[in-house]
């Protein structure tokens, strides 16, 4: 059956004329038909800025986090249809898992972060409050609020689900409506995911729109509160950055582009070291998962010259065992590239790399395939090249084959290797397989300025590492320079990118009212009831308790130490004895003689109250 790929704009699926037909990567048959409608970009954006934003901001961060959680659950229950479509992109079941479950997992991760760490409402006090006057009547702080525009998200073909959801989740949590433009080649999978989201009925109207096909003059209608997130080639990124309307309006652009990621075998790891084979496994996996069509895939392998032959042989042997064919088959390790055109591009880059290097093992030519009725045009065998002599100006540091291709580069000295890796002019990620901590520190010092992520693979991490190629919701994804200079994920940093940071100045009372957090010097409400005795919902910011004067004695300190497990201020002999007797331990408490002036609930920073009595007693 051929799916229709339609845009979802203004709250409805758009019908129109037939656009390009989209083909199954492995067999070549038509699997989807683009439907291109006449759209009015100004109207689409206005719908997001109006209806979409209203719906999103009708609730606060925690409620949106709950919606993301429900959506993740819903997609998890309905993902099988997505897997079926994912096969057409050339992805095996395991590849599809990275895309589909990875995307759903990212939604769930942002749901958890939003619930645990973001305040109620739509204003995120960033703090700290700093006093700006002698008498304490004027202070300042920073607050973050949702940008009053649309987040336009243009995605690459290789991760139609994950690529979409990892941009959508932080924008949604922040309170910005998203307009998603998937890459045409795999848009049927992204559109199917959006259809599930729409059918779930879990999101406010206008929170998510989908535009398939060309964007027309959409970007010309972007305004200063909008933002653009792009994943794709450096060439397209360059043209978007230079768009006159974006420049004129100062629209922020986040770019994730090409990256010539590296894997380095440290000079303290020889062929007999247990990490050596683990390194081989990591490289083979990165070359073959998604047939190497991953932004994080390893393209350059740096190896001490003395280990070059051993590594080359083991890699070539492992790559020769990779079974290519129909991605629907369980006995197939690697499917085709997304299209014959993509495979052609990869072959031409292999040919250019081979002019200055040697081919080891497979040739990049037509491989043997498992399966029936396959169209070989989109298949490229894993291809390993060797550049025996390589300087930072070599083309291997510039040419990206977006497929199962990597080059071995020998080095004589670690600093030479650092220079070669950095010749990629900025990468998403490099893995260093390293044994000694002091060697790891050296690699990090040399590589970090040129990387968005460094993955140190030592014997302890080897069993549990999530791997070179996995961007994680909690950690930043994006690299400097050639990799686009963008920053996605990284926990709540990605949410903050969709919020405007504003410095806020005023009296403590005004700052407290605006931020919902107690500010020193703001009026307090003196009460007879201890705030700790109140029900959570009865507490108000500024609730205060003044107790009678009391001298804090050494016994108090010792008791506090015994209770909290923090004995750092208990210095007397008796205290030390008490310490040894104590069985309780709490890593949280840091000081027992200086109680905090105001207790603040991290989960709901809006709910904070000063315990003024403690402060006065202690002074
Ligand atoms: P691409 O040709 O640059 O396309 C990327 C996206 O941009 C597609 O959605 C494409 O839509 C759209 N697009 C193209 N021209 C446009 C224009 N003038 N205005 C607005 N949108 C436009 O890249 P690709 O071939 O899909 O992806 C492969 C490249 O992406 C590789 O080089 C890879 O390194 C890079 N990539 C990087 C990352 C990362 O996270 N850093 C991740 C994945 C891929 P159409 O498909 O409709 O043309």
């Amino acid at each position: 059956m051929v799916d229709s790929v339609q845009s979802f704009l203004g709250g409805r699926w758009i019908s129109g004329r037939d656009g390009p037909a989209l083909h199954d990567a492995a067999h070549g048959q038509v699997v989807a038909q683009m439907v291109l409608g006449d759209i009015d970009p100004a109207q689409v954006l206005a719908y997001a800025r109006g209806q979409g934003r209203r719906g999103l901001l009708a609730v606060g961060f925690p409620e949106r986090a709950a919606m993301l959680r429900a959506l993740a659950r819903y997609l998890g229950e309905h993902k099988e249809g997505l897997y079926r479509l994912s096969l057409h992109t050339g992805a095996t079941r395991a590849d599809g898992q990275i895309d589909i479950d990875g995307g759903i997992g990212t939604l769930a991760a942002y749901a958890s972060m939003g619930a645990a760490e973001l305040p109620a409402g739509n204003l995120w006090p960033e703090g700290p409050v700093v006093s700006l006057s002698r008498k304490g009547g004027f202070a300042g702080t920073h607050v973050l609020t949702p940008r009053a525009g649309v987040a336009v998200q243009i995605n690459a073909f290789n991760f139609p689900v994950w690529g979409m959801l990892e941009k959508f989740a932080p924008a949604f949590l922040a309170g910005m409506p998203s307009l998603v433009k998937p890459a045409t080649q795999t848009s049927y999978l992204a559109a199917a995911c959006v259809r599930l989201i729409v059918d779930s009925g879990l999101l406010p109207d206008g929170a998510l729109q989908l535009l398939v096909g060309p964007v027309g003059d959409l970007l010309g209608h972007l305004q200063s509160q909008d933002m653009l997130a792009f994943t794709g080639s450096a060439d397209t990124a360059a043209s978007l950055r230079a768009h006159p309307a974006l420049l004129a309006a100062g629209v922020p652009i986040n770019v994730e582009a090409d990256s010539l990621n590296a894997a380095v075998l440290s000079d303290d790891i020889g062929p007999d070291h247990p990490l050596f084979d683990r390194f081989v496994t990591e490289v083979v996996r990165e070359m073959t998962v998604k047939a190497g069509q991953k932004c994080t895939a390893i393209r350059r392998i740096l190896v001490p010259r003395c280990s070059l032959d051993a590594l080359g042989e083991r890699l070539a042997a492992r790559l020769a065992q990779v079974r290519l064919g129909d991605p629907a088959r369980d006995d197939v390790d690697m499917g085709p590239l997304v299209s014959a055109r993509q495979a052609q591009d990869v072959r031409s880059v292999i040919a250019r790399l081979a002019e200055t290097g040697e081919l080891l093992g497979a040739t990049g030519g037509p491989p043997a395939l498992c399966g029936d009725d396959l169209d070989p045009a989109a298949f490229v065998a894993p291809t390993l090249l060797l550049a025996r002599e390589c300087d930072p100006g070599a083309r291997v540091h510039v040419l990206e084959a977006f497929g199962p291709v990597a080059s071995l580069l020998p080095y004589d000295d670690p600093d030479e290797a650092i220079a070669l890796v950095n010749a990629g002019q900025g990468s998403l990620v490099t893995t260093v397989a390293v044994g000694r901590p002091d060697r790891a520190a050296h690699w990090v010092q040399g590589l970090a300025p040129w990387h968005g992520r460094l993955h140190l693979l030592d014997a302890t991490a080897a069993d549990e590492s999530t791997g070179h190629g996995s961007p994680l919701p909690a950690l930043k994804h994006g690299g400097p320079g050639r990799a686009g200079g963008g920053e996605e994920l990284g926990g709540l940093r990605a949410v903050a990118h969709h919020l405007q940071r504003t410095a806020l100045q005023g009296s403590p009372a005004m700052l407290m009212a605006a931020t919902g957090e107690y500010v020193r010097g703001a009026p307090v409400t003196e009460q007879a009831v201890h705030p700790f005795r109140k029900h959570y919902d009865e507490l108000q910011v500024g609730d205060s308790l003044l107790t009678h004067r009391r001298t804090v004695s050494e016994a108090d300190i010792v008791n506090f130490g015994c209770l909290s497990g923090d004995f750092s201020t208990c210095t007397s002999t008796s205290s030390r004895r008490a310490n040894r007797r104590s069985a309780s331990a709490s890593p949280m408490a840091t000081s027992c003689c200086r109680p905090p002036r105001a207790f603040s609930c991290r989960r709901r920073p809006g709910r904070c109250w000063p315990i003024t009595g403690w402060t006065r007693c202690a002074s």
Side-chain angles (χ1 to χ4, degrees):
M1 191 187 117
V2 174
D3 285 352
S4 275
V5 187
Q6 290 170 268
S7 295
F8 181 74
L9 301 168
R12 64 194 178 87
W13 293 97
I14 305 294
S15 31
R17 63 191 182 283
D18 278 356
L22 304 175
H23 297 259
D24 178 278
H27 302 88
Q29 84 276 19
V30 172
V31 288
Q33 176 65 57
M34 301 279 291
V35 177
L36 304 179
D38 292 320
I39 63 150
D40 177 349
Q43 223 176 347
V44 169
L45 294 168
Y47 180 74
R49 293 185 198 116
Q51 176 69 41
R53 190 161 182 269
R54 259 195 311 280
L56 284 164
L57 298 189
V59 295
F61 296 114
E63 292 81 7
R64 288 193 295 276
M67 289 181 204
L68 282 184
R69 158 94 48 224
L71 184 61
R73 198 172 299 126
Y74 181 88
L75 292 179
E77 288 162 4
H78 295 80
K79 65 185 180 184
E80 273 313 312
L82 300 180
Y83 271 106
R84 177 181 62 80
L85 289 174
S86 175
L87 293 174
H88 293 312
T89 70
T92 61
R93 177 90 190 177
D95 294 339
Q97 233 166 4
I98 299 172
D99 187 29
I100 297 164
D101 291 277
I104 296 171
T106 303
L107 287 184
Y110 273 93
S112 299
M113 284 184 248
E117 295 177 51
L118 288 180
N122 284 306
L123 181 144
W124 183 2
E126 199 179 34
V129 176
V130 286
S131 177
L132 300 172
S133 67
R134 215 184 268 176
K135 287 191 261 170
F138 190 57
T141 186
H142 290 91
V143 295
L144 301 168
T145 50
R147 293 175 67 89
V150 191
V152 175
Q153 297 153 4
I154 301 179
N155 295 318
F157 69 79
N158 56 340
F159 284 109
V161 177
W162 177 82
M164 174 171 68
L165 297 182
E166 61 103 16
K167 289 186 178 67
F168 166 74
F172 180 86
L173 194 50
M176 274 193 94
S178 296
L179 173 57
V180 174
K181 188 266 182 271
T184 295
Q185 186 63 48
T186 53
S187 53
Y188 50 88
L189 181 48
C193 184
V194 171
R195 200 172 275 279
L196 282 178
I197 294 173
V198 172
D199 290 349
S200 76
L202 290 165
L203 304 189
D205 291 344
L208 174 62
Q209 296 186 89
L210 175 76
L211 173 62
V212 299
V215 296
D217 65 344
L218 174 89
L219 301 183
H221 293 266
L222 292 189
Q223 299 172 357
S224 57
Q225 287 284 312
D226 300 328
M227 46 196 299
L228 176 63
F230 170 79
T231 299
S233 64
D235 289 347
T236 310
S239 76
L240 296 182
R241 283 190 213 272
H243 196 291
L246 303 190
L247 291 173
V251 176
I253 308 182
N254 191 80
V255 171
E256 302 286 336
D258 313 357
S259 176
L260 288 154
N261 313 294
V264 180
L265 192 67
S266 178
D267 52 339
D268 58 333
I269 306 290
D272 299 329
H273 196 286
L275 265 184
F276 193 84
D277 278 331
R278 178 65 179 77
F279 182 77
V280 171
T281 301
E282 193 73 24
V283 172
V284 170
R285 183 167 60 202
E286 286 305 314
M287 286 179 69
T288 53
V289 167
K290 291 281 291 181
Q293 301 164 109
K294 274 175 52 183
C295 50
T296 50
I298 292 169
R299 310 286 179 209
R300 298 173 298 153
I301 307 154
L302 282 288
V303 50
R305 198 174 291 276
C306 56
S307 299
L308 174 64
D309 291 340
L311 184 64
E313 280 162 24
R314 282 194 221 179
L315 280 174
R318 289 279 297 277
L319 290 171
Q321 291 167 9
V322 173
R323 284 157 306 189
L324 271 74
D326 187 342
R329 286 175 57 134
D330 290 340
D331 60 347
V332 161
D333 302 312
M334 194 178 100
L337 271 61
V338 75
S339 66
R341 211 188 98 199
Q342 185 67 23
Q344 190 48 46
D345 285 354
V346 168
R347 284 191 206 99
S348 74
V349 178
I350 292 173
R352 292 188 62 196
L353 291 173
E355 283 170 20
T356 52
E358 300 163 34
L359 281 165
L360 294 179
T363 62
L369 302 177
C370 313
D372 300 325
D373 303 325
L374 296 171
D375 178 354
F379 287 88
V380 175
T383 304
L384 186 63
L385 294 118
L386 165 63
R388 267 184 210 284
E389 301 303 328
C390 168
D391 60 58
R395 60 178 61 165
V396 69
H397 306 300
V398 182
L399 288 180
E400 182 201 39
F402 202 60
V405 183
S407 297
L408 268 173
L409 315 176
Y411 68 84
D412 297 304
D413 167 73
D415 288 333
E416 178 199 355
I418 287 171
L420 290 175
V421 174
N422 295 345
Q425 297 299 317
S427 301
L428 292 172
V429 53
T430 278
T431 284
V432 184
V434 59
R436 282 174 26 208
D438 62 322
R439 301 303 307 135
H442 185 75
W443 288 109
V444 169
Q445 188 72 45
L447 297 172
W450 297 86
H451 287 82
R453 178 160 63 89
L454 288 175
H455 172 225
L456 300 175
L457 191 64
D458 73 337
T460 309
D463 285 347
E464 294 182 296
S465 162
T466 49
H468 166 100
S470 302
L472 300 173
L475 294 181
K476 177 192 140 171
H477 173 57
R482 182 193 172 99
E487 195 172 290
E488 293 179 340
L489 302 176
L492 290 179
R493 290 175 187 85
V495 178
H497 291 155
H498 296 83
L499 303 170
Q500 175 61 38
R501 175 173 294 110
T502 305
L504 198 60
Q505 295 172 292
S507 71
M510 294 301 151
L511 295 188
M512 184 171 90
T515 61
E517 284 190 332
Y518 179 72
V519 175
R520 187 175 194 179
V524 294
T525 314
E526 299 274 2
Q527 298 192 332
V529 184
H530 195 295
F532 283 5
R533 295 193 181 281
K534 283 188 170 182
H535 189 269
Y536 183 80
D537 289 333
E538 295 169 335
L539 286 166
Q540 295 297 323
V541 177
D543 279 0
S544 163
L545 178 79
L546 181 64
T547 64
H548 58 87
R549 290 185 73 84
R550 184 175 180 287
T551 302
V552 175
S553 65
E554 188 185 351
D556 291 325
I557 294 171
V558 172
N559 285 341
F560 190 83
C562 292
L563 189 71
S564 66
D566 180 349
F567 306 110
S568 57
T569 52
C570 306
T571 49
S572 72
T573 313
S574 60
S575 308
R576 287 179 210 284
R577 252 183 254 126
N579 293 352
R580 282 195 292 274
R581 281 199 304 271
S582 169
S584 68
S586 158
M588 297 303 292
T590 54
S591 166
C592 55
C593 60
R594 269 183 283 152
R597 280 187 309 281
F599 280 70
S600 131
C601 172
R602 280 179 61 75
R603 189 181 158 86
R604 296 275 187 278
R607 299 287 195 191
C608 308
W609 63 95
I611 310 293
T612 52
W614 271 33
T615 314
R616 295 182 199 182
C617 289
S619 58

